[in-house]
Amino acid sequence: MRARQRIKQTLNRIRNRRLRGFLIACACLAGFSCEQPAVYDQYQAIEGTAWEKEKVYYFTFQIEDISVPYDLTLEVRNNNLYPYQNLWVFCDEEQPFGPLKKDTIECMLADEYGKWHGHGISLFQSSFPVRTNYRFPIKGQYTFSFRQGMRKDKLPGIEEIGLRVFPSANAPSATHPDEGK
């Protein structure tokens, strides 16, 4: 009888150790599988779902850690009424100090057959890199502004645009602030 109790106790200890190890492994996997949270993630609705040529959308955020490279993406939400395959966007970057940086981004929203690249059913979301593995040169407030660069004065079908800033997943060891443009 006593031998059975010892065997039961030994089996319970082994089972508890395995269960504890399994729970620790699950917790570790859950921690590593989550993507890093965004430093900034904001959207702005396009007035009347038609982006007017002179309408500029501003996104302002604070950067505290300049030792980390970041990825910045322009987020575009369009519907089926958007009449083109691509979208040209003028981007300005205003740093806490220094000159204004200007860039032009081509956003390919559909393939040559009209199939939308973004995720969704009647509203499609697409992400386009603005900066990759980018190290902000100084701490402080940054403002990115976006204006549509198409030939049409009123661009239907674009419902929202946004900006995401998050730590880069594949950061090289050292990146100069002007790289990754």
Side-chain angles (χ1 to χ4, degrees):
M1 196 62 155
R2 217 165 160 88
R4 278 189 181 166
Q5 284 179 336
R6 284 188 198 149
I7 292 172
K8 252 187 192 177
Q9 287 176 344
T10 304
L11 289 175
N12 282 339
R13 275 190 229 132
I14 292 170
R15 195 174 316 134
N16 287 342
R17 283 184 194 153
R18 285 185 181 165
L19 181 60
R20 200 173 324 148
F22 176 73
L23 291 175
I24 290 171
C26 286
C28 288
L29 284 175
F32 288 121
S33 65
C34 296
E35 81 177 42
Q36 292 183 325
V39 172
Y40 183 80
D41 190 2
Q42 290 294 320
Y43 287 84
Q44 293 185 32
I46 304 295
E47 297 168 10
T49 67
W51 194 352
E52 293 187 24
K53 187 118 179 126
E54 298 307 315
K55 179 64 178 168
V56 180
Y57 291 91
Y58 296 91
F59 298 88
T60 301
F61 56 94
Q62 195 75 19
I63 291 295
E64 296 299 330
D65 187 359
I66 60 172
S67 67
V68 175
Y70 294 91
D71 289 338
L72 289 80
T73 58
L74 171 63
E75 306 293 320
V76 177
R77 292 178 177 159
N78 67 287
N79 60 35
N80 286 321
L81 298 176
Y82 187 71
Y84 305 107
Q85 178 182 3
N86 65 345
L87 167 68
W88 286 97
V89 178
F90 299 126
C91 170
D92 291 345
E93 176 187 353
E94 185 180 328
Q95 300 180 356
F97 299 102
L100 183 72
K101 292 183 176 182
K102 295 181 173 278
D103 205 352
T104 304
I105 303 166
E106 182 182 18
C107 306
M108 292 302 295
L109 298 174
D111 64 17
E112 62 271 12
Y113 303 107
K115 183 180 181 306
W116 299 111
H117 289 305
H119 301 288
I121 296 173
S122 61
L123 181 65
F124 302 92
Q125 175 160 341
S126 304
S127 298
F128 304 96
V130 176
R131 304 274 189 276
T132 305
N133 293 326
Y134 181 67
R135 289 189 189 269
F136 289 96
I138 56 175
K139 293 180 183 180
Q141 181 175 296
Y142 288 80
T143 299
F144 278 76
S145 61
F146 300 97
R147 184 170 51 92
Q148 65 105 334
M150 302 294 280
R151 292 185 180 146
K152 202 165 183 181
D153 286 340
K154 209 169 188 179
L155 199 56
I158 303 295
E159 292 197 16
E160 292 181 316
I161 63 164
L163 180 68
R164 265 189 99 225
V165 179
F166 52 97
S168 182
N170 8 325
S173 57
T175 303
H176 187 271
D178 289 335
E179 287 181 16
K181 286 174 78 175

